[in-house]
Amino acid sequence: MEAEITNKKEKKESFMQGVIVLMFSQVFIKILGLVYTLYLTNRNGYGDAGNAISSGAYQIYAMLLTISSIGVPNAISKLVSERTAIGDHKGANRIFKIGFATFAVIGLIGTMMLFFGAHTIANNWLQIPESEMTLVALSPAIFFVAVSSVMRGYFNGRQTMKVTARSQTLEQVFKTVLTVIVVEIVAILSNTSTELMAAGANIATTAATFLGFGYMYLYYRTIRKDVGNEILHTVNYKHQSVPIIIRRILQVSIPMALSAIMSSLNKNIDSITVVRGLKTFLSEADAKIQYGILMGKVDTLTSLPLSINIAFATALVPAIAAARAKKDINTATKRTSFSLLTSMLIGLPCTFGMVIFAQQILNLLFPNANQGALLLQISSFTIIFTILDQTINGALQGFGKVMVPSIALGCGVITKLILNLILIPIPWIGVNGAAIGSVACHFVAFTIAMNVLRKNIKLDLSFSKFILKPIIATIIMSICSYAIFIILNGIIAEKLATILSMLFAVIIYLLTIIVLKLFTKEEIYMIPGGAKIYPILKKMKIYEEEN
């Protein structure tokens, strides 16, 4: 009876419901992130120089954040889902509580390291002294993100991903609003000091992480009674000591975190090598501006499509872990294949779209600072490999192959470091060398991870379905959308022509996918609303009764 009450209070979601909830949340978060990036980049006194100060500091913060918390949500999610799948709610709750205490300590250590090491990092590592105050402003956020990560992992493991989605969305709303308010106040008080405005923007980041944590803590208090009822009716409980549980969490989280650490290292390679390399033939001010373009605009735009796909990677870990706990390999295989196909269908058009419309996108979003079209075009090729790698890593982690993603990305990072050091100091390549290095990095990581996945699971994906048809759909979309842009650009303003061309591109792409019948009947039914979509497609004679 108590279990029924719990299900009414906290309804468990299906795999695709969880994906959709997280997808919309992540897209909204990225849009809000783009909003304050547009505001900062186009604001007088901030621009690419402010982005250079903020981005360099943020990458160091992200590194410490990765060490203290990244990998934790998926680790806690995996362990909790394994226990709840067999009815051990007491064991799942014990994992959560011990994990919370452990990472509260780790997060506090990370905060202290960044706070007291800010001067050395800014002056010696980044060679951007202005970033010291930004590092200090970011330091408390490490603690709050660390404890928030444990709570998100717990809710994901219980397959109630709406809580994670809401907390992340609220956090980003707070961050966007507070960034504008704090930066404007600082600009007035400091006579538009770029250094102080960058620090103010990151004070807003710290405040937002605290508010995001506050939401999850309040939600947890509302379900404590229901969690208690589940614990009373737990089955298959096996007591484990605190050191053993901590070791299990770390055994799963550290390999997962290593992958994120490699990703953070990838960004820090740019923060350490770009300005240094460019200073061999550019002034320090110009070198910082080039770095600001790379990290402030290009990185923001190329990471936007990843938010659509990260939902699959996040949802795959607990879904596959639970299926394996029940020895249901068929379900795990189908979900992995479907997620990979969807990732391909997301990544290809985003890559081609940014290559074709790079300058138009910069003109539209950054009218006061629209440099960097070639850099964006090169960097766009990271999108397809990173998106596929996200999904593959989620599947590998769910299958227990937690070290593979970090090893694969580690090989990619080494490739990038070598290319950055060779290419960036060459005057006719310059900052584009960092983009080439990133493409090579993610290609290497994807190739290794994909080969390992194929050796461990028989994917239900043919060459025609996974590669040929998606490429055909993308080419048709690209040709049609660019033709529409050329026609409209001679009639209406370029910005409006760009927006309309992209809208037409989405419509054309979706119609092409339908006509090519990329999804089977079973896969359509996996999509929320698929039971209503399939009969319509059948009436249109696109799908036959046998499918």
Side-chain angles (χ1 to χ4, degrees), residues 336-468:
T336 302
S337 300
F338 176 76
S339 298
L340 271 173
L341 175 60
T342 307
S343 296
M344 176 67 89
L345 294 175
I346 292 169
L348 273 178
C350 292
T351 298
F352 276 67
M354 284 200 186
V355 170
I356 294 170
F357 292 104
Q359 188 61 63
Q360 289 79 11
I361 291 170
L362 291 171
N363 293 342
L364 175 67
L365 299 177
F366 305 101
N368 296 331
N370 62 355
Q371 301 89 350
L374 178 58
L375 188 60
L376 177 57
Q377 288 175 321
I378 297 171
S379 297
S380 296
F381 287 98
T382 63
I383 295 173
I384 182 60
F385 300 122
T386 308
I387 278 182
L388 289 170
D389 209 31
Q390 277 181 338
T391 303
I392 293 168
N393 290 350
L396 288 170
Q397 288 166 358
F399 279 108
K401 304 291 181 181
V402 291
M403 282 299 297
V404 174
S406 57
I407 293 172
L409 190 53
C411 294
V413 167
I414 292 171
T415 304
K416 176 176 174 58
L417 176 60
I418 294 169
L419 289 175
N420 271 31
L421 292 173
I422 294 172
L423 298 177
I424 293 173
I426 300 174
W428 62 273
I429 297 178
V431 72
N432 294 323
I436 294 169
S438 292
V439 175
C441 168
H442 292 292
F443 173 74
V444 169
F446 159 74
T447 302
I448 295 171
M450 185 65 173
N451 284 331
V452 173
L453 181 66
R454 290 176 64 184
K455 288 179 181 178
N456 286 273
I457 182 173
K458 189 176 181 180
L459 296 170
D460 184 23
L461 292 172
S462 64
F463 175 81
S464 173
K465 182 174 182 176
F466 185 57
I467 297 177
L468 185 60

Side-chain angles (χ1 to χ4, degrees), residues 264-282:
S264 184
L265 269 175
N266 187 24
K267 301 296 183 185
N268 276 285
I269 286 172
D270 284 337
S271 67
I272 294 170
T273 61
V274 171
V275 174
R276 274 186 170 85
L278 293 176
K279 281 165 64 176
T280 60
F281 61 91
L282 291 177

Side-chain angles (χ1 to χ4, degrees), residues 309-323:
N309 184 74
I310 190 63
F312 284 99
T314 303
L316 270 175
V317 177
I320 291 177

